[in-house]
């Protein structure tokens, strides 16, 4: 098997890809009609649908807009948002099966290369490209070559899953950079060659009230993380108490005083500032760096490998802690209400970041189970026509992110207006 830090080119098998598309629709997404709602069969994820997405709302106009960007004579990089792990690949595969069945998809190196030779062959045959931290040149080159053949390449510009379905995080530049390279190469032989970045957004909404299932998962987390005294509050208050307790543990580890009544966001920034100072001092970073620049510097410092093992371990732990604390972003404090979908995202984020050690938790990280049946609302904002775009890379990314955020917000607004969400007062708001 190729080592995790070595790129291995995908070898797509069209027959396997078609078969996996069928399996994806039946077993992974929709489940098996007649069994998916019938006890005890609906307790079996394969019959219920592992991702439990019962309905897909993907308007024909949006599909046609995406399809028009794909095909021969143009290069296309499809960029979905990234609110949920495992379901991401299920929905991504459904989307490309409708518009570009042989599109390649980027995935983490741990999935593609880290599960043994048979699984590596399986993922390569499904046309997955391994994203290898610090060593992506070969993957990018292959992606450009594949896009120039008219098949398309899909990658998530937000990077890792954030578990925030209403908010588009800062975007990484890879899709735009590869699109510009493909445009340059394509126009060497065809002055009218076109290159696109085609954004896709999807929002998951429960089809009914899932408070009981959410409360059960909340109780599991409370017991697993030894968080007492939360079970008597409302569901949102219990989630807030979990996060507040975990943050207080970080405050204590940093030597900070835990102050009752101080807003969560203020406490969070104090922790991040203290962790940032410690990380900057450890790697001798230049003064005045913001947190994103400091984390990039820490990753470069680790790749250089000049310090001893203990020092590297310390820097790695600091960077991981900063990233974990940051994962409750400003979006969590923005609205006076919180939906069941957002509560579910909070719980999945906590389980992924904090609950470790058991087989149950390991399975949950790779195949997180939703609290109930859902509908996926998929939309395609206006594509970014790189062949007609003469602004900077930063401007292109800002435009792409703006279009994606507007599309997500529009879905949420429409669903909310139609009574599609069950909401509660948001305990993070003004706290």
């Amino acid at each position: 098997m190729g080592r995790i830090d070595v790129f291995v080119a995908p070898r797509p098998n069209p027959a396997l890809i078609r078969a996996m598309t069928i399996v994806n629709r039946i077993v992974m997404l929709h489940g098996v009609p007649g069994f998916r709602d019938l006890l005890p069969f609906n307790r079996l994820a394969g019959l219920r649908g592992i991702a439990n997405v019962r309905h897909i709302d993907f308007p024909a106009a949006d599909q046609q807009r995406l399809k028009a960007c794909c095909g021969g004579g143009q290069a296309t990089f499809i960029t979905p948002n990234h609110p949920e792990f495992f379901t991401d690949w299920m929905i991504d595969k459904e989307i490309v099966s409708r518009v570009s069945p042989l599109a390649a998809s980027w995935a983490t190196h741990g999935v593609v290369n880290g599960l043994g030779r048979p699984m590596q062959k399986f993922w390569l045959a499904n046309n997955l490209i391994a994203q290898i931290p610090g060593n992506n040149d070969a993957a990018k080159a292959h992606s450009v070559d594949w896009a120039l053949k008219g098949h398309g390449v899909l990658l998530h510009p937000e990077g890792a899953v954030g578990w925030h379905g209403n908010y588009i995080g800062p975007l990484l530049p890879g899709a735009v950079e590869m699109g510009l390279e493909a445009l340059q190469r394509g126009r060497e032989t065809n002055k009218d060659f076109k290159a696109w970045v085609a954004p896709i957004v999807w929002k998951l909404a429960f089809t009914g009230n899932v408070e009981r299932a959410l409360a059960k998962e909340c109780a599991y987390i409370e017991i697993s993380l030894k968080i007492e005294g939360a079970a008597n509050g409302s569901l949102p208050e219990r989630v807030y108490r979990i996060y507040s307790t975990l943050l207080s543990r970080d405050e204590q580890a940093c030597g900070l005083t835990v102050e009752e009544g101080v807003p969560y966001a203020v406490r969070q920034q104090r922790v991040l500032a203290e962790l940032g100072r410690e990380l900057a001092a450890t790697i001798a970073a230049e003064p005045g760096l913001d947190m994103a620049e400091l984390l990039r510097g820490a990753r470069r410092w680790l790749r250089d490998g000049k310090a001893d093992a203990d020092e590297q371990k310390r820097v790695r732990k600091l960077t991981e802690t900063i990233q974990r604390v940051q994962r409750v972003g400003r979006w969590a404090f923005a609205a006076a209400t919180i939906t069941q979908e957002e509560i579910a995202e909070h719980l999945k984020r906590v389980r992924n970041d904090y609950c470790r050690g058991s087989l149950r938790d390991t399975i949950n990280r790779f195949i997180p189970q939703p609290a109930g049946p859902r509908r996926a609302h998929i939309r395609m904002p206006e594509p970014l026509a790189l062949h007609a775009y003469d602004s900077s890379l930063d401007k292109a990314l800002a435009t792409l992110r703006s279009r994606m955020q507007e599309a997500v917000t529009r879905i949420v607004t429409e669903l909310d207006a139609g009574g599609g969400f069950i909401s509660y007062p948001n305990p993070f708001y003004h706290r």
Side-chain angles (χ1 to χ4, degrees):
M1 185 190 79
R3 291 185 2 248
I4 284 179
D5 59 348
V6 175
F7 175 74
V8 182
R11 295 179 287 277
N13 183 322
L16 177 62
I17 291 172
R18 286 194 296 269
M20 283 302 298
T21 298
I22 295 171
V23 171
N24 177 66
R25 287 173 180 166
I26 296 175
V27 179
M28 305 296 186
L29 288 175
H30 305 304
V32 180
F35 289 94
R36 63 190 183 189
D37 295 312
L38 185 65
L39 280 171
F41 304 108
N42 62 359
R43 294 177 179 173
L44 301 175
L47 296 179
R48 180 188 63 225
I50 295 175
N52 213 348
V53 176
R54 300 296 184 83
H55 313 283
I56 292 180
D57 166 29
F58 191 9
D62 292 73
Q63 293 186 54
Q64 288 302 317
R65 190 180 304 119
L66 178 58
K67 196 167 187 176
C69 294
C70 300
Q74 55 192 344
T76 309
F77 291 85
I78 303 170
T79 55
N81 61 332
H82 208 194
E84 182 171 317
F85 190 72
F86 183 79
T87 307
D88 55 1
W89 193 61
M90 302 296 101
I91 292 180
D92 292 346
K93 191 167 183 64
E94 178 64 22
I95 290 169
V96 298
S97 73
R98 300 185 183 195
V99 298
S100 185
L102 289 181
S105 298
W106 280 52
T108 176
H109 61 90
V111 170
V112 181
N113 294 339
L115 301 176
R117 181 181 291 274
M119 287 306 299
Q120 184 192 50
K121 291 179 65 177
F122 173 80
W123 292 124
L124 294 176
N126 270 282
N127 214 8
L128 262 63
I129 298 171
Q131 184 271 328
I132 303 170
N135 187 19
N136 274 325
D137 290 344
K140 289 180 177 180
H142 174 83
S143 298
V144 172
D145 289 342
W146 193 254
L148 286 169
K149 295 178 181 179
H151 294 306
V153 175
L154 182 147
L155 65 163
H156 295 103
E158 290 179 279
V161 172
W163 297 102
H164 40 68
N166 294 357
Y167 171 75
I168 303 297
L171 305 185
L172 300 172
V176 175
E177 290 174 341
M178 289 185 287
L180 291 171
E181 183 180 343
L183 177 64
Q184 180 180 2
R185 287 179 52 187
R187 291 207 162 169
E188 291 174 358
T189 56
N190 176 6
K191 64 182 179 61
D192 296 321
F193 188 85
K194 296 179 179 180
W196 307 89
V197 176
I200 292 289
V201 299
W202 45 273
K203 168 67 181 176
L204 295 166
F206 291 116
T207 61
N209 191 328
V210 295
E211 182 170 332
R212 180 178 297 180
L214 291 173
K216 183 177 179 181
E217 184 164 20
C218 192
Y220 173 81
I221 292 171
E222 290 162 350
I223 294 170
S224 177
L225 300 179
K226 297 179 173 59
I227 296 175
E228 299 177 357
N232 294 328
S234 67
L235 183 57
E237 289 288 348
R238 290 171 68 180
V239 171
Y240 181 84
R241 183 176 177 85
I242 288 171
Y243 271 103
S244 183
T245 302
L246 293 171
L247 186 61
S248 71
R249 294 173 184 176
D250 288 318
E251 289 172 317
Q252 293 167 1
C254 290
L256 299 173
T257 302
V258 180
E259 300 181 34
E260 293 293 333
V262 176
Y264 184 96
V266 174
R267 295 169 55 202
Q268 181 190 49
Q269 289 307 309
R270 288 177 183 171
V271 170
L272 289 171
E274 185 61 31
L275 291 168
R277 281 192 291 269
E278 185 177 351
L279 179 59
T282 304
I283 66 173
E286 297 178 8
L289 296 180
D290 64 25
M291 190 62 80
E293 294 169 328
L294 181 59
L295 289 172
R296 284 195 292 271
R299 287 191 287 270
R300 287 194 297 270
W301 186 92
L302 286 167
R303 284 198 298 269
D304 290 342
K306 296 179 180 178
D308 61 35
D310 288 341
E311 200 77 349
Q312 289 187 38
K313 183 177 179 181
R314 182 185 178 198
V315 169
R316 192 171 289 108
K317 182 178 180 180
L318 281 168
T319 57
E320 289 173 353
T321 303
I322 290 171
Q323 291 170 323
R324 172 172 52 75
V325 173
Q326 280 183 322
R327 277 159 63 77
V328 181
R330 288 177 294 177
W331 42 265
F333 319 114
T337 58
I338 185 171
T339 65
Q340 288 193 346
E341 288 77 7
E342 291 170 301
I343 289 172
E345 290 168 352
H346 276 308
L347 294 174
K348 293 302 185 189
R349 191 183 309 106
V350 170
R351 289 192 68 175
N352 181 80
D353 291 350
Y354 293 89
C355 296
R356 302 294 175 95
S358 71
L359 177 61
R360 180 177 178 179
D361 290 327
T362 299
I363 293 173
N364 179 77
R365 280 198 302 279
F366 283 99
I367 312 177
Q369 290 298 288
R374 302 176 293 176
R375 181 187 298 271
H377 301 270
I378 306 172
R379 299 291 184 270
M380 183 194 175
E382 180 186 353
L384 195 65
L386 296 176
H387 48 277
Y389 205 81
D390 57 4
S391 294
S392 67
L393 176 64
D394 288 343
K395 179 68 173 177
L397 287 172
T399 301
L400 183 64
R401 184 183 180 192
S402 175
R403 292 177 184 179
M404 294 175 73
Q405 184 62 67
E406 288 173 2
V408 169
T409 301
R410 194 177 307 116
I411 296 172
V412 172
T413 301
E414 291 173 356
L415 290 175
D416 193 37
F421 297 121
I422 296 174
S423 301
Y424 312 82
N426 182 7
F428 289 90
Y429 184 68
H430 289 323
R431 300 293 286 262

